[in-house]
Amino acid sequence: MATIQCISGSHKDATWPLPQTPFTIGRSQQADITVDDGEASRIHAELRPSGKDWILTDLESANGTLVNDKGKTRARLQDQDVIQIGNTRFVFVADAEAAPPKPEDVTTDDDLELVRAMRERTNRIRTELAKIIVGQTDVIEQILLCIVTGGHALLIGMPGMAKTLMVSTLAKILNLQFKRVQFTPDLMPSDIIGTDVLETDQTTGEKVFRFLQGPIFCNLLLADEINRTPPKTQAALLEAMQEKSVTAGNNTFELDQPFFVLATQNPVEQEGTYPLPEAQLDRFMFNIWVDYPEEYEEEQIIRATTAGTQPTVQTVMTKSEILQVQDVVRKIPVSEHVIKYAIRIVRATRPTDPKAPTISKTYVSTGAGPRAGQYLILAAKAMAVLGGRIHVSCKDIRQAAIPVLRHRILTNFAADSEGKSPLHIIEELLTVVREPDESDYT
């Protein structure tokens, strides 16, 4: 619990815990803290909780309120901020880090212990993957973020970048049932979902239909070169990605949890392909760019893949543990400050928004929808959990912005003619969109 401590004045060395309700300071007996100070007003200032933060508001006092010796009408308090009311000084103490209290949404000791253990466990996953995959640390990190949030990812990169090997190795480390489907122009929806077959019942001799499950019935589905199959077959994944179920005929089958779709695309070849429509692209949490390895990494790859030995990887997590982590990620609390910042970035991508910056109005035809904001917050929560933290910062939002927004921003002709890609636009938006400050909470 946050506290406020008097460091000079009539209540020197006294400490008050701050409840989750507005808290006032002033000369009046009606104030929560009554100070014997002629320079203070009757109800001088108010402290009000805002998520995990506290907002200090000067209530039109006669002599004003100082925070760290600067006059403030409204301020978001940080740990160890000094508040001066008249001649009385207080220090604000945020929740102690040494013995972190349980976040209000993380309700069990097991949840909190899992968060603490995730940093070491994530490092073990990286270590096991490094036995097979050289480099690609950002790609691996983003795939892990999708897995612990229950999202799906679109991997875009040239052939031979170990996309398939990376996904199949990760499935072994996480003890997930893995299936791979090579998408081709003649692939049908039933080739993914499954189909009814006519059989003879051995006991009655009657003809009956039996559903044969397709490869989508797994934990981790790799949809290889998803843009090489027609939209009818691409759409067969939509229900599974969103509802985690499959409908065949009049029957609906629940998929085993956890369930993820990792799809790959070749960014160069466009002849004979079927680009994913925007509605289906929006179902993917991340658009992950798989780039060429560094020179020293490529040397290691050639040396390792042309030798006769094949390393083996160890299982680090189980399916039940992944589901537990997904549940904990949802429980991690996020401050109003961080949510405002995420929404501000998303709305800045929309050229029709009155507050949109010039770059969006000039180069963007269609901006990101509300699902982008949801995924920004979820990704930021996942970053905190993988790092063993129980708090989310604006830095986490900035780190998630590129993979979340890259496929949700559609550029116009002006951008194409000037070589402005969605990546360029996102990078500039992150420099011009400011974090919320006290003026945003008036």
Side-chain angles (χ1 to χ4, degrees):
M1 178 179 287
T3 60
I4 185 170
Q5 180 181 0
C6 184
I7 56 176
S8 70
S10 57
H11 294 295
K12 185 177 180 182
D13 297 329
T15 300
W16 296 267
L18 295 176
Q20 289 299 309
T21 55
F23 196 84
T24 56
I25 305 173
R27 274 190 303 111
S28 171
Q29 294 295 325
Q30 277 113 21
D32 293 295
I33 299 178
T34 303
V35 295
D36 185 11
D37 188 334
E39 297 296 316
S41 298
R42 293 184 71 258
I43 303 294
H44 194 106
E46 178 191 71
L47 288 90
R48 181 181 292 270
S50 175
K52 291 187 66 179
D53 299 330
W54 282 85
I55 305 296
L56 173 70
T57 304
D58 180 84
L59 301 178
E60 298 183 356
S61 63
N63 297 314
T65 302
L66 303 181
V67 177
N68 299 327
D69 297 324
K70 294 182 179 179
K72 296 284 187 179
T73 56
R74 193 175 180 87
R76 182 172 293 273
L77 295 177
Q78 304 293 327
D79 188 40
Q80 301 302 313
D81 277 354
V82 176
I83 305 165
Q84 182 169 341
I85 292 175
N87 294 319
T88 307
R89 292 165 68 87
F90 302 87
V91 63
F92 172 78
V93 181
D95 293 351
E97 290 287 339
K102 298 175 187 178
E104 55 192 11
D105 293 324
V106 181
T107 56
T108 68
D109 290 335
D110 290 341
D111 290 341
L112 202 58
E113 187 60 36
L114 181 61
V115 172
R116 293 195 186 104
M118 273 308 297
R119 183 169 187 172
E120 179 184 352
R121 194 170 292 181
T122 305
N123 288 334
R124 286 176 56 199
I125 292 173
R126 296 190 187 106
T127 301
E128 292 299 317
L129 267 172
K131 295 179 181 179
I132 307 294
I133 305 298
V134 178
Q136 303 294 358
T137 54
D138 289 343
V139 175
I140 293 170
E141 188 76 15
Q142 290 168 20
I143 292 176
L144 287 176
L145 291 175
C146 282
I147 287 176
V148 299
T149 56
H152 312 284
L154 182 64
L155 282 73
I156 299 181
M158 295 295 292
M161 304 299 289
K163 298 186 291 293
T164 303
L165 181 61
M166 188 186 308
V167 176
S168 61
T169 304
L170 188 60
K172 294 176 183 176
I173 295 172
L174 300 179
N175 196 29
L176 299 173
Q177 185 184 10
F178 171 73
K179 295 285 181 67
R180 174 179 178 270
V181 177
Q182 184 67 46
F183 280 61
T184 57
D186 60 347
L187 196 71
M188 298 295 291
S190 59
D191 296 327
I192 301 172
I193 295 173
T195 187
D196 287 312
V197 296
L198 187 63
E199 292 184 338
T200 302
D201 191 309
Q202 298 298 324
T203 57
T204 64
E206 294 181 353
K207 301 290 186 181
V208 294
F209 282 102
R210 183 169 68 89
F211 181 70
L212 287 181
Q213 295 182 350
I216 202 170
F217 287 87
C218 64
N219 299 122
L220 183 55
L221 176 69
L222 177 63
D224 223 349
E225 294 189 283
I226 190 173
N227 59 333
R228 289 201 170 276
T229 199
K232 181 179 180 179
T233 307
Q234 293 173 355
L237 293 174
L238 285 178
E239 181 187 3
M241 292 171 66
Q242 189 67 28
E243 309 297 336
K244 306 298 174 68
S245 64
V246 168
T247 300
N250 295 324
N251 298 315
T252 299
F253 303 91
E254 296 295 327
L255 295 172
D256 186 28
Q257 297 299 314
F259 175 74
F260 316 99
V261 173
L262 298 182
T264 68
Q265 277 189 195
N266 183 335
V268 176
E269 290 184 345
Q270 299 301 323
E271 186 176 349
T273 62
Y274 304 86
L276 290 171
E278 285 70 26
Q280 189 162 348
L281 278 174
D282 198 47
R283 305 292 176 126
F284 288 98
M285 177 179 181
F286 277 177
N287 180 314
I288 302 174
W289 179 260
V290 186
D291 209 346
Y292 290 112
E294 299 289 342
E295 183 177 351
Y296 71 94
E297 293 174 341
E298 199 158 359
E299 291 175 2
Q300 295 180 44
I301 293 170
I302 302 304
R303 189 181 301 112
T305 55
T306 55
T309 58
Q310 181 65 32
T312 58
V313 295
Q314 303 295 320
T315 299
V316 175
M317 294 181 70
T318 63
K319 291 193 291 185
S320 60
E321 289 173 332
I322 293 172
L323 291 173
Q324 186 183 2
V325 172
Q326 289 180 356
D327 184 55
V328 171
V329 165
R330 295 272 177 173
K331 294 178 180 179
I332 294 294
V334 181
S335 70
E336 182 183 353
H337 179 75
V338 174
I339 292 177
K340 279 182 178 291
Y341 183 59
I343 299 308
R344 185 169 287 178
I345 290 175
V346 172
R347 294 184 68 86
T349 66
R350 303 169 187 167
T352 56
D353 191 283
K355 297 181 181 179
T358 302
I359 188 170
S360 295
K361 293 181 178 180
T362 306
Y363 298 116
V364 177
S365 62
T366 305
R371 192 176 276 138
Q374 295 172 343
Y375 283 148
L376 277 177
I377 296 297
L378 280 175
K381 287 185 174 188
M383 286 181 190
V385 170
L386 292 184
R389 295 182 280 118
I390 56 173
H391 63 276
V392 178
S393 68
C394 289
K395 180 181 178 182
D396 296 322
I397 298 293
R398 286 191 289 271
Q399 288 182 317
I402 290 177
V404 167
L405 297 174
R406 186 176 3 221
H407 56 302
R408 292 183 166 88
I409 295 178
L410 302 182
T411 54
N412 56 22
F413 177 77
D416 297 339
S417 62
E418 297 182 31
K420 291 281 187 180
S421 68
L423 177 60
H424 295 134
I425 294 169
I426 297 167
E427 289 175 340
E428 185 162 338
L429 287 177
L430 293 178
T431 63
V432 299
V433 176
R434 62 177 179 83
E435 295 184 21
D437 55 28
E438 57 264 25
S439 64
D440 296 294
Y441 298 92
T442 304

